[in-house]
Amino acid sequence: MLGVSGGIAAYKSAELVRQLCAAGAVVRVVMTRAATEFVGARTFQALSGEPVWCGWSDDRSGMDHIDLARWADRILVAPASADTLARLAQGRADDLLAAVCLATEAPLLLAPAMNQAMWRHPATQENVQRLAGRGVQLCGPDAGEQACGDVGPGRMREPEALVEALAESFASGLLAGVKLVITAGPTREAVDPVRFLGNRSSGKMGYAIAAAARAAGARVELVSGPVALEVPAGVACEQVESAQAMLDAVLARINDCDIFIATAAVADYRPAAPAQQKIKKQAEALSLQLEPTTDILATVAALAPRPLCIGFAAETEQLEQNARRKRMHKGADMIAANRVGDGQGFETDDNELLLVWEGGERLLPRTTKARLAVQLLEQVANLYARRLSSDNETSQPYAKHSA
Ligand code: PMT
């Protein structure tokens, strides 16, 4: 189903309908009242060969909004105006399009289009974050010259790209309907207001897994330490600093999680009493008292019910033995072990992983982290499917949700 809200970019939606129909899609269009001031309903009707809804007055049965919500495999709103983003973020149902979006269980894709200042406004950005956090996929906006003469982000993505985004949303499906929580990057443990203990993790491995999981159809929530990477499209992300904040963010979203992947390089120790003021330089040696942090992976693995738990092991020696020991010790279902130090593992664009699980192992030879992420998820999906089928046989629910 295509939702069209009010904006000059609505004229591009006619071409979008044409291209979707040419690709074999059955397209039903729901317009907001504001959209009808830019394009006529008959244009969409002629192009789609389907009825068009322009508001509650077109809800002929009084249940059209529910029927449309159930009928749609995907809902794309293009253009999605600033007002529409705000209304969807609030979960309003006071026009037909918003009501359908609220009632549907189909994946929702939004193609924002608005003036660059409206797009940049913190209110719009908060709405976008809130929607992304619910698993809504944002397609664009693109940057460039705008109808109002401004230049900047806010142009609706071109119809070709939107057709592609829709096609991709049907793509691999290996993890369709599965919710993943992934940790990535380093943590920072405060020594004083300006100094911290950290590590070399760039977040590349975790972000690659998040992108690959999203492409495989999963709902992905990333909990990330401080990194300089762009959050992959369609992935909801919470930025954190410390091991404790990462633990809290993970536990806040673990309830309905099917698979947990702990890629982050979490500090094992933190300063026991971080100084309230900047520590002054002094002649004598300085000692820091450290205390252990809570192990996030072990905490999640001890929950009941619990998701399938995948951990990493960063090792400088005895890779396989340490990985097997870590798997048992932390209660993880699988460990992806990698050698670190001497320019390996951390910060690099490529890596090599040894996967170990109960009764099996597989070496993923050196390649890019993006390819490794896809191969790792194949193995994770196998393990998840096996676990689900053994749960069905024993009637023991392993995770709350099934694929
Ligand atoms: O980010 P990149 O630059 O791309 O580098 C990738 C990587 C090297 C960071 C990644 O491949 C990796 O190895 N991540 C795990 C790093 C690590 O902390 O390993 P560990 O062996 O110390 O911890 C074992 C497991 O326990 C990990 O899954 C870790 O996330 C988890 N852990 C550790 C401590 C803690 N307090 N809580 C945890 O959940």
Side-chain angles (χ1 to χ4, degrees), residues 201-203 205 262-264 294 296-297 312 326 330 338 347 369:
S201 171
S202 63
M205 190 70 241
T263 321
T294 306
I296 302 170
L297 176 58
F312 270 70
K326 238 170 221 178
K330 301 202 180 212
N338 49 183
E347 295 174 303
K369 286 182 176 171

Side-chain angles (χ1 to χ4, degrees), residues 166-286:
L166 273 171
E168 265 176 30
S169 76
F170 286 95
S172 125
L174 186 66
L175 293 170
V178 175
K179 176 176 163 183
L180 270 82
V181 173
I182 300 169
T183 65
T187 59
R188 290 178 176 179
E189 309 304 323
V191 172
D192 68 13
V194 296
R195 303 182 180 93
F196 59 83
L197 299 180
N199 63 66
R200 295 182 184 281
S201 171
S202 63
K204 286 178 185 172
M205 190 70 241
Y207 276 56
I209 296 171
R214 179 69 195 136
R219 197 150 56 91
V220 183
E221 299 201 7
L222 185 61
V223 178
S224 173
V227 298
L229 298 174
E230 211 173 294
V231 177
V235 169
C237 180
E238 180 168 346
Q239 312 278 353
V240 296
E241 282 225 350
S242 66
Q244 182 62 45
M246 188 171 273
L247 172 69
D248 294 343
V250 166
L251 292 181
R253 39 185 55 75
I254 211 70
N255 254 352
D256 59 347
C257 166
D258 300 297
I259 301 174
F260 174 59
I261 306 186
T263 321
V266 186
D268 288 324
Y269 293 92
R270 65 174 165 233
Q276 294 303 307
Q277 305 300 333
K278 185 181 170 200
I279 298 171
K280 297 277 180 269
K281 191 174 173 184
Q282 54 193 28
E284 305 85 59
L286 183 69

Side-chain angles (χ1 to χ4, degrees), residues 87-91 102 128-136 219 221 236:
R87 288 149 48 68
L88 294 181
Q90 284 178 15
L102 197 60
V128 165
Q129 289 302 323
R130 197 189 290 184
L131 288 161
R134 289 184 206 144
V136 172
R219 197 150 56 91
E221 299 201 7

